[in-house]
């Protein structure tokens, strides 16, 4: 019996929609659609509903704009406001702080996981903001598959692909931020 699991979530190309900073919303919608939720919303409609932070703090909502880079702004949204927003459409579970096996267990149970990583899974490039240290190359992907030594992601920039668990875990563990999108 194979230990390989591939949920087959869709891939939303954030750049094709002009949302150069819209990875969290794309990954969230991929997971919601996989679970049969928010099917009446396309990515553009979903982005228009994303909570925006008045103080540009990604812990309060999306900081800046998903469509442009603004100097001094950190264009992202972190787990707390994503949970608040996403739970309007489905059943989300905070997994931040979890060891990678918890993420894999979620996928094995049929629940993809929005995971904060870095663009192209490169080494984090840390920046300081009033709300804390964050990687300038922040990125979010949807973890939707596992195998003995690989994981599968639906990446809103680079498409769908397998990569080594070691590389995934190294980047995930720099922040340990994740949300399961449950049935």
């Amino acid at each position: 019996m194979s230990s390989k699991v591939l949920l087959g979530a869709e891939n939303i190309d954030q750049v094709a929609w002009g949302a150069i900073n819209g990875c969290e919303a794309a990954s969230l919608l991929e997971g919601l659609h996989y679970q049969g939720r928010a099917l009446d919303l396309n990515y553009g409609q979903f982005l228009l509903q994303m909570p925006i932070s008045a103080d540009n703090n990604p812990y309060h909502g999306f900081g800046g704009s998903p469509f442009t880079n603004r100097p001094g702004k950190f264009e992202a949204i972190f787990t707390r406001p994503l949970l608040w927003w996403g739970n309007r459409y489905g059943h989300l579970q905070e997994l931040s702080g979890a060891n990678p096996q918890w993420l894999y267990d979620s996928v094995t149970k049929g629940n993809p996981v929005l995971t904060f990583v870095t663009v192209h899974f490169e080494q984090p490039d840390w920046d300081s903001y009033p709300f804390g240290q964050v990687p300038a190359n922040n990125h979010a992907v949807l973890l939707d598959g596992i195998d003995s030594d690989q994981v599968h992601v639906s990446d809103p920039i680079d498409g769908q692909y397998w990569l080594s668990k070691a590389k995934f875990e190294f980047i995930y563990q720099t922040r340990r931020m994740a949300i399961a999108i449950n049935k």
Side-chain angles (χ1 to χ4, degrees), residues 106-146:
S106 181
V107 171
T108 300
K109 293 174 186 168
N111 300 315
V113 180
L114 185 157
T115 309
F116 284 80
V117 293
T118 56
V119 176
H120 313 303
F121 285 86
E122 294 174 349
Q123 187 74 24
D125 178 17
W126 297 100
D127 268 348
S128 292
Y129 287 86
F131 54 82
Q133 291 265 2
V134 291
N137 53 347
N138 174 68
H139 192 41
V141 299
L142 188 72
L143 177 67
D144 76 333
I146 58 166

Side-chain angles (χ1 to χ4, degrees), residues 99-178:
N99 75 45
Q101 188 59 51
W102 290 19
L103 310 184
Y104 306 152
D105 291 347
S106 181
V107 171
T108 300
K109 293 174 186 168
N111 300 315
V113 180
L114 185 157
T115 309
F116 284 80
V117 293
T118 56
V119 176
H120 313 303
F121 285 86
E122 294 174 349
Q123 187 74 24
D125 178 17
W126 297 100
D127 268 348
S128 292
Y129 287 86
F131 54 82
Q133 291 265 2
V134 291
N137 53 347
N138 174 68
H139 192 41
V141 299
L142 188 72
L143 177 67
D144 76 333
I146 58 166
D147 203 345
S148 57
D149 60 352
Q150 294 185 330
V151 299
H152 187 270
V153 296
S154 183
D155 182 328
I157 292 176
D158 293 325
Q160 297 178 319
Y161 53 90
W162 290 92
L163 73 150
S164 76
K165 276 185 176 177
K167 186 172 190 175
F168 171 81
E169 290 176 9
F170 177 77
I171 297 301
Y172 165 74
Q173 302 234 49
T174 61
R175 291 189 291 164
R176 297 178 88 143
M177 292 171 58

Side-chain angles (χ1 to χ4, degrees), residues 67-87:
F67 301 103
T68 60
N69 288 321
R70 297 182 182 162
K73 307 277 189 243
F74 185 70
E75 286 91 3
I77 182 171
F78 289 161
T79 57
R80 184 178 299 147
L82 273 174
L83 285 161
W84 170 81
W85 179 36
N87 274 322

